[in-house]
Amino acid sequence: MSRGAAKKLLVAACLAGLVAAYFIFDLGRFFSLDYLRQSREQFGALYEAHAFLVLGAYFFLYVTVAALGLPAAAALTLAGGALFGLWVGLVVVSLASTLGACLAFLLSRYVLRDSVRRRFGDKLVRIDRGVEEEGTFYLFTLRLIPIFPFFVVNALMGLTPMRLFTYAWVSQAGMLPGTAVYVNAGRELGRLDSLSGLLSPSLILSFAVLGLFPLMVKKTLGWYRKRRNHG
């Protein structure tokens, strides 16, 4: 085994260990709605006494959760709205989620990309071409529609040739509407019965239409250019 392969294996083992620890020690109980409701006043008092310390700790925790793809981002977003309010919560959560997504993107590219391309390189040529031509629009759609898991998008895009800068700003823009919904809902944390109650079918449909709109415009313009050239 080469030195580079050994390093990648070590990184993968560390990541797997961290994810396994989350489930083995049942850390998810700290990200439940009941726990957030019970701890809201306690954390609120801590935030009033040590605002920058709490903001920094929250930001670091959110980036870690997002980078590892742990099922706690929704609860953390609600907590951000409950603790920091709409505007501060929106800024902090938006930046933390984007940074976490970028770290996951880089980890996928560093750990998985070479091995996947060795096995399926010929099958990825068409995907690479599509990403180069319309990757920005596809990523925006995936980010905007909440039915696509956060960690899956991060991992898959890390296997493509998309530039990190493009991935970052498109993810930031695409995730912003959903982030605003959750942060705003966090201000009414005591009234929430479940996380699934935040996204009604009509809201998901609205996100889907908004996400598909840029693709529809691009396809329409491409069709128009072809007709004009042929004409």
Side-chain angles (χ1 to χ4, degrees), residues 195-219:
L195 295 179
S196 60
L198 290 173
L199 293 178
S200 63
S202 60
L203 185 58
I204 292 177
L205 179 61
S206 298
F207 282 155
V209 172
L210 185 59
L212 292 172
F213 182 72
L215 283 175
M216 294 169 60
V217 172
K218 186 177 179 63
K219 293 293 185 181

Side-chain angles (χ1 to χ4, degrees), residues 11-230:
V11 171
C14 291
L15 294 175
L18 291 173
V19 174
Y22 175 86
F23 293 100
I24 291 173
F25 296 106
D26 192 24
L27 299 181
R29 68 184 185 274
F30 297 115
F31 301 98
S32 66
L33 279 180
D34 289 337
Y35 180 81
L36 292 179
R37 289 195 191 100
Q38 295 169 8
S39 306
R40 183 176 183 177
E41 293 184 2
Q42 179 182 354
F43 284 117
L46 186 62
Y47 175 59
E48 290 182 3
H50 308 282
F52 289 104
L53 179 62
V54 173
L55 278 169
Y58 174 88
F59 186 87
F60 176 79
L61 179 61
Y62 201 115
V63 170
T64 303
V65 165
L68 295 177
L70 299 176
L76 272 177
T77 305
L78 291 175
L83 280 176
F84 312 130
L86 177 59
W87 296 112
V88 174
L90 182 60
V91 171
V92 173
V93 171
S94 183
L95 293 176
S97 60
T98 300
L99 179 56
C102 289
L103 290 177
F105 172 89
L106 292 174
L107 286 170
S108 174
R109 176 163 291 182
Y110 175 74
V111 176
L112 301 175
R113 186 177 182 182
D114 291 344
S115 59
V116 171
R117 288 196 169 278
R118 279 196 297 270
R119 294 185 179 184
F120 307 104
D122 55 332
K123 298 179 181 180
L124 294 175
V125 174
R126 184 176 298 177
I127 296 176
D128 290 345
R129 188 180 302 117
V131 169
E132 290 176 358
E133 294 176 355
E134 301 182 3
T136 300
F137 295 93
Y138 282 122
L139 176 59
F140 183 76
T141 301
L142 292 174
R143 285 303 191 199
L144 196 56
I145 303 176
I147 60 176
F148 293 100
F150 185 82
F151 71 93
V152 171
V153 177
N154 296 335
L156 291 179
M157 286 297 166
L159 303 177
T160 71
M162 179 174 286
R163 295 172 55 200
L164 177 61
F165 177 76
T166 301
Y167 181 79
W169 77 260
V170 175
S171 294
Q172 180 91 41
M175 293 188 294
L176 192 59
T179 299
V181 169
Y182 272 81
V183 171
N184 185 60
R187 298 191 301 167
E188 303 295 333
L189 188 61
R191 301 181 184 180
L192 292 177
D193 296 323
S194 67
L195 295 179
S196 60
L198 290 173
L199 293 178
S200 63
S202 60
L203 185 58
I204 292 177
L205 179 61
S206 298
F207 282 155
V209 172
L210 185 59
L212 292 172
F213 182 72
L215 283 175
M216 294 169 60
V217 172
K218 186 177 179 63
K219 293 293 185 181
T220 302
L221 289 176
W223 172 81
Y224 172 75
R225 291 193 186 100
K226 287 182 179 178
R227 287 205 60 180
R228 184 181 63 180
N229 293 336
H230 291 160

